[in-house]
Amino acid sequence: MSRQPVPLPAEHIPPGTPAWRTADALRWLGAVPARWAHPLFAFLALAVSVAWEVAAAPVPACTSAEPCGSDWPGLAVAVVLVLSLYWVWRQPRLAIGGLAVTVVALAVEEGVAAFARPSALAYLTAAGFAVAGLVHRLTVAGRQRALALEAAGAAAQPLPDAARTFRRGRMSLVPAAVFLVVAGFGVHRALGVADAYDKRAATASHLSGEVTAVDTDDGLLTVTAEGRTYRIGTAFPEDFPVDTRVDLVVDGDGAVLVAEPYDAFGWEVLVLASSVTGLAFLVNGVAGRLGARRLRRGPLPVLRVLVREGEEDGRTWVFAADDTEGRRPVLWFHSLYADAEGGAEDEDDLETADDDDGDFGLDKVTQVLRADAPAPPLREAVLYGAPYTGAEVAFVARDDEDDPEVAVECSVTSVKPATTPWNTGGPQARGRQHPRRPVEEVAAGLAPSAEPRVWRAHGFSRAVGLGMLVVQGGGVWAALEDGPSWHWLLLAVALPWLVTSVATATTWRITADRDGLWVTTAWRVRRVPWEAVLSVTLRDDGILIGRADDDALRVSPTGWAWLERRLGREPGAQRVADELRALLLRPDLRPAGEAASDRQGMPVGPPLVALTVLWGAAVMLLL
């Protein structure tokens, strides 16, 4: 017998609110973008064409008449281009404008004849294809909105008070400000490099010389001018063959080419990366605030629906009001609880949304976290706002049957249809892709044991760790090769993550004994008693151990599940998670003994830090 949806008290259903029936929901689902308009295709076409254009486009040679320097207009176009690739996924309207800017910029810089070049024509074609898909997606979203308004009819209600105080976008504005300040600092430093050259050139000697030798490997020119020989670095040694006449700016024993007066490339890269990241956060924050503000403007269409919280992904799935079995989800989004004191907020990049307020009950948290607990129930709800792809909505529903109060939740990601073939987040899709082995099946292969059970990094996990170790060593070499520079900032940011990942992937260990788990990660060995464990799952190449006392304990990375599955193998970490889950739910299978200290593992993060320091010292001595 199926479980009935959690009812919503009648006093919380506005009079005249229609039910969103299956027939209307299916019409709404029928108005989804065509497969060709999926942003992945546009992104790949643009990325390939941009790479081709960058490799094939002619680069003007640096000359004394037209020296190379900072190209701020070109850098601005590059920022718009990279943002447009991101906006193809997230902001269709801005992506259309951004792509138009890049095409116009190319035509202005080189003329319309530039599109006779195959690579430029390929980019123009890719941009046209992307714009066609974006326009199609926006048109379809308008059709979905019209169908939702048709289903809602004349019913319109103001947003609940708690949702009216819900704010979005503030969290994005903080990193946006940080990255934009970094971009401003990069601009300041790049301009400082140019100013320093101008001051040097004003007092230095200007000579003309002849290139007598070219070292293309090290990018060095040997130039003879007025009886003296100078060794000068250049980014484009191929532009200055032997016997070429070049102009120099000579200051003491130092000399630079007038054609290549200074090198601010590193600062320009910093400006590009920081500007793109900062503007992406800024646009997300502004879009979130505008979306929430639109919900508060006036009466909204309302629909009676059923909702269910995703078991693993934290998504809110919406079903037709008469789909009491929850067989066909219509749409999904992430949501957070709102309250009359100002609500909560999160950003569009949210993957999970958990409520920490004890008023919603530890029982609910426990049920959601336990992998083999009953699925969250369907709940009757009133949906506020016309749902369409990219929209913001809110809904009112009871949390569960034991909670007499209703809760107001607001979307923190935009609405997305549940029928797109690219959506793999639904319950049915997850079941088809990676079915979880039943606990009984796993338990059948686990005989009772007196000795502690130990799971450690397997071959594939170690291979991932060794690969990352090579990347780490190469990164240290590359950063230190040219002496102190802005590359050291990137090294300082990336190195802690790399060390942690390498140490975990190569030596992670989980030991189960009578009283609980010993979990060895990069930096410490943690004790988790059995009574504190709520769930064990494999997610994003990491084993998550849900605990009652705090957030989940994550062991990551533990391999590369995607590649292991493509090779026809069961991921090693998946087997570990299944067996740990079986021990969690079947206490009779837990080891009878207690793990000695030599079975608990040892973190290798500190020794790896020492090894990295020694490697860095060796690199500096060798260079």
Side-chain angles (χ1 to χ4, degrees):
M1 184 175 179
S2 62
R3 185 179 180 183
Q4 292 300 312
V6 176
L8 181 65
E11 61 268 22
H12 293 283
I13 302 176
T17 301
W20 201 11
R21 301 291 180 184
T22 298
D24 293 328
L26 290 178
R27 291 176 61 203
W28 189 94
L29 283 171
V32 295
R35 180 177 296 187
W36 65 268
H38 191 278
L40 175 63
F41 294 133
F43 177 86
L44 291 177
L46 288 169
V48 171
S49 62
V50 167
W52 186 11
E53 172 66 5
V54 169
V59 179
C62 301
T63 64
S64 298
E66 295 184 2
C68 294
S70 297
D71 181 11
W72 296 113
L75 182 62
V77 173
V79 169
V80 173
L81 175 60
V82 178
L83 280 172
S84 298
L85 292 175
Y86 170 69
W87 285 338
V88 162
W89 293 87
R90 301 293 298 276
Q91 305 289 345
R93 289 181 175 84
L94 291 179
I96 293 173
L99 292 173
V101 167
T102 59
V103 171
V104 171
L106 181 59
V108 169
E109 182 180 3
E110 300 185 36
V112 179
F115 296 109
R117 189 168 60 248
S119 58
L121 181 61
Y123 176 70
L124 179 64
T125 303
F129 172 73
V131 169
L134 294 166
V135 171
H136 174 72
R137 287 161 55 191
L138 292 172
T139 302
V140 164
R143 173 62 176 162
Q144 288 178 327
R145 185 176 185 275
L147 290 172
L149 292 174
E150 181 181 337
Q157 296 291 330
L159 203 62
D161 291 339
R164 296 183 67 82
T165 60
F166 190 87
R167 294 293 182 267
R168 297 250 345 261
R170 288 176 294 183
M171 291 180 65
S172 274
L173 298 181
V174 175
V178 172
F179 281 106
L180 291 178
V181 167
V182 172
F185 174 74
V187 172
H188 171 72
R189 294 296 298 164
L191 293 176
V193 172
D195 289 341
Y197 167 77
D198 291 338
K199 293 178 180 179
R200 178 184 179 187
T203 59
S205 302
H206 294 257
L207 305 177
S208 178
E210 183 177 280
V211 178
T212 57
V214 179
D215 186 347
T216 56
D217 293 334
D218 294 332
L220 292 174
L221 302 179
T222 301
V223 180
T224 302
E226 296 187 0
R228 294 190 61 181
T229 300
Y230 300 92
R231 298 272 289 175
I232 303 172
T234 173
F236 305 101
E238 64 277 4
D239 291 344
F240 305 99
V242 174
D243 298 333
T244 301
R245 299 293 300 181
V246 295
D247 296 320
L248 305 179
V249 172
V250 180
D251 182 9
D253 293 331
V256 296
L257 296 172
V258 173
E260 295 181 21
Y262 56 86
D263 181 12
F265 180 74
W267 294 114
E268 292 169 357
V269 171
L270 178 64
V271 172
L272 174 64
S274 301
S275 298
V276 168
T277 307
L279 290 174
F281 273 113
L282 179 63
V283 169
N284 283 350
V286 172
R289 294 180 74 87
L290 293 177
R293 184 177 299 175
R294 282 193 294 268
L295 282 179
R296 301 193 299 269
R297 281 181 181 172
L300 299 170
V302 288
L303 290 166
R304 287 167 48 207
V305 296
L306 298 175
V307 298
R308 172 183 284 163
E309 182 180 355
E311 297 178 64
E312 297 179 3
D313 49 26
R315 297 174 178 177
T316 297
W317 296 89
V318 176
F319 301 81
D322 54 353
D323 185 10
T324 56
E325 299 288 335
R327 297 182 182 276
R328 186 68 178 272
V330 183
L331 56 92
W332 66 270
F333 50 87
H334 287 102
S335 63
L336 287 179
Y337 291 100
D339 57 66
E341 281 70 38
E345 68 163 318
D346 209 332
E347 299 310 318
D348 288 341
D349 291 333
L350 181 72
E351 292 298 333
T352 58
D354 300 318
D355 184 60
D356 296 326
D357 192 341
D359 292 340
F360 294 104
L362 182 60
D363 290 340
K364 175 196 172 185
V365 178
T366 302
Q367 286 185 352
V368 172
L369 289 178
R370 278 195 181 277
D372 291 85
L378 282 170
R379 299 177 286 156
E380 293 182 355
V382 174
L383 191 68
Y384 287 81
Y388 58 90
T389 302
E392 305 280 346
V393 294
F395 68 92
V396 175
R398 288 173 61 195
D399 198 56
D400 53 50
E401 295 179 351
D402 299 326
D403 192 347
E405 301 295 329
V406 299
V408 179
E409 297 188 45
C410 295
S411 63
V412 292
T413 61
S414 57
V415 168
K416 296 180 178 62
T419 58
T420 168
W422 304 95
N423 175 28
T424 59
Q428 298 136 333
R430 287 196 304 272
R432 287 193 303 269
Q433 286 184 337
H434 313 305
R436 176 181 293 167
R437 294 168 60 195
V439 173
E440 294 75 13
E441 178 183 333
V442 178
L446 294 176
S449 172
E451 293 297 319
R453 296 183 184 273
V454 179
W455 298 268
R456 56 174 58 89
H458 48 89
F460 217 98
S461 180
R462 293 193 180 99
V464 170
L466 291 176
M468 298 179 73
L469 182 61
V470 172
V471 172
Q472 175 184 319
V476 171
W477 182 288
L480 300 180
E481 185 176 13
D482 297 326
S485 70
W486 67 273
H487 296 92
W488 288 24
L489 178 62
L490 295 180
L491 184 65
V493 172
L495 201 56
W497 176 82
L498 277 171
V499 170
T500 300
S501 299
V502 169
T504 302
T506 53
T507 61
W508 64 267
R509 176 187 294 211
I510 300 176
T511 303
D513 63 12
R514 176 186 59 198
D515 300 320
L517 301 176
W518 293 96
V519 183
T520 303
T521 55
W523 305 105
R524 59 185 297 191
V525 179
R526 300 185 184 184
R527 180 61 163 171
V528 185
W530 284 117
E531 57 269 19
V533 180
L534 296 177
S535 67
V536 182
T537 57
L538 176 68
R539 185 179 302 172
D540 298 332
D541 296 319
I543 298 175
L544 269 66
I545 301 174
R547 298 183 294 177
D549 55 346
D550 54 13
D551 296 333
L553 173 60
R554 182 179 181 86
V555 184
S556 177
T558 55
W560 192 358
W562 179 87
L563 183 57
E564 291 178 77
R565 290 191 178 103
R566 292 303 180 275
L567 295 176
R569 302 172 50 183
E570 179 188 21
Q574 182 67 67
R575 177 183 57 81
V576 174
D578 288 344
E579 293 182 359
L580 285 170
R581 189 183 306 112
L583 295 185
L584 172 63
L585 300 176
R586 291 281 301 275
D588 57 298
L589 294 176
R590 297 173 188 172
E594 186 174 353
S597 58
D598 61 339
R599 304 289 297 274
Q600 297 169 12
M602 183 185 72
V604 298
L608 187 57
V609 169
L611 180 62
T612 303
V613 172
L614 291 175
W615 169 246
V619 169
M620 296 186 71
L621 291 174
L622 291 173
L623 295 177

